[in-house]
Amino acid sequence: MGYPTISGFAALIAAPLTRPRRIVLAVAATLAGCSLSACSGIGGSQTDTAPPDATVSASQDTRSAGDAQDTQDDSAGDTFTVALDKTATWNNGVKAHLGGFSRGTSGEYASPSGKAYLAFSVTVQNGSKSAIDLSMISLSCPDGAEQIFDTDAGFGGTPDTHLLPGKSQTWKAACEFPKKARSVQIEITPTDTAGSGWYRTAIFTGQVQ
């Protein structure tokens, strides 16, 4: 059997990739993309990807991490407890979820400035029959710490708008949080301006790394 000529090698190189080679290269490209972007995703319209320095643990004060589920407000008291990475649902269909946890230090023009913080997103979904005044939502930081306000970083407080039934909105928030702290308790309390009832406080608890 003769060896291919130089022109034969050139023809092999220029020839289109066969289907098996295309599949192998496509899979390799997909895996490379996943390694860069973490390919994280959760079914639905919202995906939370916590960076490595702010990994969330689903532990709760009242149950094990394995048993933690989205929590319905079925308590008789003024509060109910929710795992940090789960969703709080009030009886009228309003929901609140925290996600996208990260750490940082507030900038020179932030209030307060130069403080270590824990940042996160707040998503409220209005499943009730009345509009919700988002500016009236109360957010309490861990251990009574101050909330960080920094428009440059996107920490502008709750939106000054009404959330209509069937709609949802997400905004960023940050709380003073020591660099070595791990245990988190964030409290969310919507306010009823329709006069149809009152909201209990959802206490989100868990650990961050």
Side-chain angles (χ1 to χ4, degrees), residues 147-169:
Q147 189 172 343
I148 301 290
F149 293 94
D150 185 352
T151 54
D152 290 339
F155 308 139
T158 54
D160 186 15
T161 186
H162 286 77
L163 187 64
L164 297 176
K167 302 293 185 179
S168 65
Q169 187 156 342

Side-chain angles (χ1 to χ4, degrees), residues 30-205:
T30 301
L31 291 176
C34 285
S35 66
L36 292 175
S37 64
C39 282
S40 58
I42 302 173
S45 59
Q46 177 180 331
T47 300
D48 289 330
T49 53
D53 63 342
T55 303
V56 175
S57 170
S59 61
Q60 277 187 287
D61 293 339
T62 57
R63 67 181 77 179
S64 67
D67 295 333
Q69 301 291 332
D70 291 354
T71 301
Q72 177 78 31
D73 173 16
D74 54 5
S75 64
D78 293 339
T79 64
F80 64 108
T81 306
V82 189
L84 194 60
D85 62 344
K86 298 300 178 180
T87 299
T89 302
W90 284 268
N91 290 332
N92 64 349
V94 172
K95 297 181 179 183
H97 180 80
L98 307 181
F101 291 88
S102 63
R103 293 177 182 265
T105 302
S106 58
E108 179 183 359
Y109 301 106
S111 177
S113 62
K115 299 292 185 179
Y117 65 68
L118 178 68
F120 49 92
S121 65
V122 182
T123 298
V124 174
Q125 181 179 346
N126 187 2
S128 73
K129 297 180 180 180
S130 303
I132 299 174
D133 187 348
L134 294 180
S135 68
M136 298 293 289
I137 289 180
S138 171
L139 187 152
S140 297
C141 293
D143 298 323
E146 286 192 63
Q147 189 172 343
I148 301 290
F149 293 94
D150 185 352
T151 54
D152 290 339
F155 308 139
T158 54
D160 186 15
T161 186
H162 286 77
L163 187 64
L164 297 176
K167 302 293 185 179
S168 65
Q169 187 156 342
T170 300
W171 66 93
K172 294 171 61 178
C175 293
E176 281 189 54
F177 197 67
K179 293 181 178 179
K180 295 184 179 180
R182 297 290 181 266
S183 182
V184 179
Q185 177 175 314
I186 298 171
E187 302 182 12
I188 299 287
T189 312
T191 298
D192 180 23
T193 58
S196 58
W198 59 281
Y199 288 88
R200 294 178 175 87
T201 297
I203 303 175
F204 292 85
T205 64

